[in-house]
Amino acid sequence: VFLKGAQRGQEIAAKTLFAVDADDIVYSRLFSWQGSFGVADKGQAGSVASGEFPTFRVLADLSPQFFRVWASQPSVWEEAELMCTGTTAGSRNRLKEDDFLTLGMDLPSVAEQLAIVEAVSAVETVVLALEEERVAAEKARAAARETLLGDLETVELGELLEGIDGGLGAMPKGEDRPPREGEWGSVKVSAVRPGRFFPNEAKTLPPTVKVTEKVKIREGDVLTTRCSGSTRFVGAACRVPVDPQRLILTDFVLRLRFSDSVDPDFMVEALASRPVRDQIEEDIERSTTLRSVSKTRLRALEVPFPALEQQREIAAALNALRTVEECARDGVEAAVTLRTSAVQALLSGDRHIRRPARQPRS
């Protein structure tokens, strides 16, 4: 549970709000299918939640922290998704309060609930420690990037480009899943994050769509996002590490084709530098749901541009730091997987953890 910020009561348009106290269950009606269930802590006591965040107080038979562990299971999210109702699947569907209350839970005794919470907390401590290491590595690389790029001469990005490639334009709606063998897919905006490419973030194209080589994504491509629902991901850039086979560009995910005077890995870092990000974020065009940047504005970005040999040296240094960050990220993902497995085992009854009996004092 996160606090949005303080407001005066007269600034809040809603006529009805939920009063939140410590250990209250809070969930998002709109994003329950993505696991948005939480438990308020003492620091959030006295706050209020809108009608989109129903709030419940538990009875004595349920530990709030056990609910938090139970609600972290993907199987619970899947059940919630089946109960969601609304106008558009996956976007405006909501889990209503009455349906939330019908979610089925196998409820052990309170003593066993607390033992399970304690066991899971031990794994969560490892997850948090590894996440701190990942964040520290990310901050170190970002600081190194700003130091190495800070005093370099700049040129307009357009002077370094041979072209910007987009997708096929308007296409029939495809299935919202990654393509299987023999199928083609178009990447989502979420496939491109700063310095990382996620090929599974794609939609499957109908077999009637004719794909050309011009829009096919290839190994080594530098991709950037033209728009996103989040400002920080507009203009995000990455390099495709391996050939994703049957994936294509869209009008929202573009390929930057550079001249031979540019090291692509260097330019990915340059586009992530703070001065370049400031230019992008200052000129973002805003709509109700999307933030975007035009191709014209991308070409006009002032980016650092040293000699090719220096570009390669800087890219190599930052790539080495990125490797450290990726190792830390892999550790976090492995620990999260371990936590998920532990939760499933404990809640399925495969393992029962009980508190040891207290020993009499001598």
Side-chain angles (χ1 to χ4, degrees), residues 25-45:
I25 291 170
V26 184
Y27 82 91
S28 167
R29 298 174 80 221
L30 188 57
F31 294 110
S32 61
W33 60 281
Q34 290 184 321
S36 291
F37 300 95
V39 175
D41 60 30
K42 292 180 180 179
Q44 294 149 352

Side-chain angles (χ1 to χ4, degrees), residues 167-168 171-172 184 205-213 215 248:
L168 294 171
M171 291 183 294
W184 283 92
L205 294 173
T208 54
V209 174
K210 301 298 182 184
V211 175
T212 65
E213 282 296 316
V215 297
I248 69 169

Side-chain angles (χ1 to χ4, degrees), residues 290-308:
L290 286 180
R291 284 91 171 105
S292 64
V293 61
S294 67
K295 291 182 182 180
T296 300
R297 183 57 191 135
L298 284 173
R299 291 179 181 276
L301 292 174
E302 290 284 339
V303 296
F305 184 61
L308 182 58

Side-chain angles (χ1 to χ4, degrees), residues 71-82:
S72 69
Q73 301 176 96
S75 59
V76 175
W77 314 343
E78 292 166 5
E79 187 178 354
E81 184 174 12
L82 292 174

Side-chain angles (χ1 to χ4, degrees), residues 99-345:
D99 294 322
F100 167 75
L101 291 172
T102 67
L103 289 170
M105 172 190 289
D106 292 328
L107 193 64
S109 68
V110 172
E112 189 167 353
Q113 291 177 44
L114 295 177
I116 289 171
V117 169
E118 187 174 330
V120 173
S121 295
V123 183
E124 289 176 341
T125 299
V126 176
V127 174
L128 291 174
L130 291 171
E131 176 62 14
E132 288 179 1
E133 288 186 14
R134 186 201 64 78
V135 171
E138 181 180 0
K139 289 181 177 179
R141 187 172 61 81
R145 179 177 57 227
E146 301 309 315
T147 299
L148 292 170
L149 303 184
D151 297 326
L152 299 176
E153 296 293 327
T154 63
V155 300
E156 287 192 359
L157 183 64
E159 296 182 25
L160 309 176
L161 289 171
E162 293 185 348
I164 301 179
D165 300 330
L168 294 171
M171 291 183 294
K173 187 176 181 181
E175 294 185 59
D176 192 5
R177 61 169 177 81
R180 303 187 183 104
E181 186 175 354
E183 297 177 325
W184 283 92
S186 60
V187 289
K188 301 178 183 178
V189 171
S190 53
V192 178
R193 289 294 181 257
R196 302 189 76 199
F197 179 63
F198 296 90
N200 285 334
E201 290 293 315
K203 294 183 178 181
T204 299
L205 294 173
T208 54
V209 174
K210 301 298 182 184
V211 175
T212 65
E213 282 296 316
K214 183 178 179 181
V215 297
K216 185 179 183 296
I217 296 174
R218 297 178 290 269
E219 179 181 353
D221 282 351
V222 175
L223 305 183
T224 187
T225 54
R226 193 178 66 80
C227 67
S228 174
S230 173
T231 297
R232 67 194 183 102
F233 293 137
V234 177
C238 71
R239 196 170 186 202
V240 179
V242 296
D243 191 340
Q245 300 299 322
R246 300 169 70 88
L247 289 183
I248 69 169
L249 302 166
T250 70
D251 287 343
F252 294 158
V253 176
L254 309 173
R255 173 169 49 225
L256 303 178
R257 287 188 288 110
F258 292 101
S259 67
D260 293 338
S261 63
V262 177
D263 179 84
D265 289 323
F266 170 84
M267 196 50 61
V268 167
E269 296 292 348
L271 290 170
S273 65
R274 190 67 260 167
V276 177
R277 289 302 310 165
D278 286 343
Q279 295 174 63
I280 293 172
E281 293 174 14
E282 285 171 5
D283 292 334
I284 280 177
E285 300 171 4
R286 301 173 188 271
S287 67
T288 54
T289 57
L290 286 180
R291 284 91 171 105
S292 64
V293 61
S294 67
K295 291 182 182 180
T296 300
R297 183 57 191 135
L298 284 173
R299 291 179 181 276
L301 292 174
E302 290 284 339
V303 296
F305 184 61
L308 182 58
E309 188 59 35
Q310 188 176 0
Q311 293 178 47
R312 289 170 176 163
E313 291 173 357
I314 292 173
L318 294 177
N319 281 340
L321 291 173
R322 185 183 294 279
T323 299
V324 174
E325 183 184 339
E326 291 297 331
C327 288
R329 192 187 304 276
D330 290 343
V332 173
E333 291 175 356
V336 169
T337 299
L338 174 62
R339 180 199 181 279
T340 301
S341 299
V343 169
Q344 291 174 343

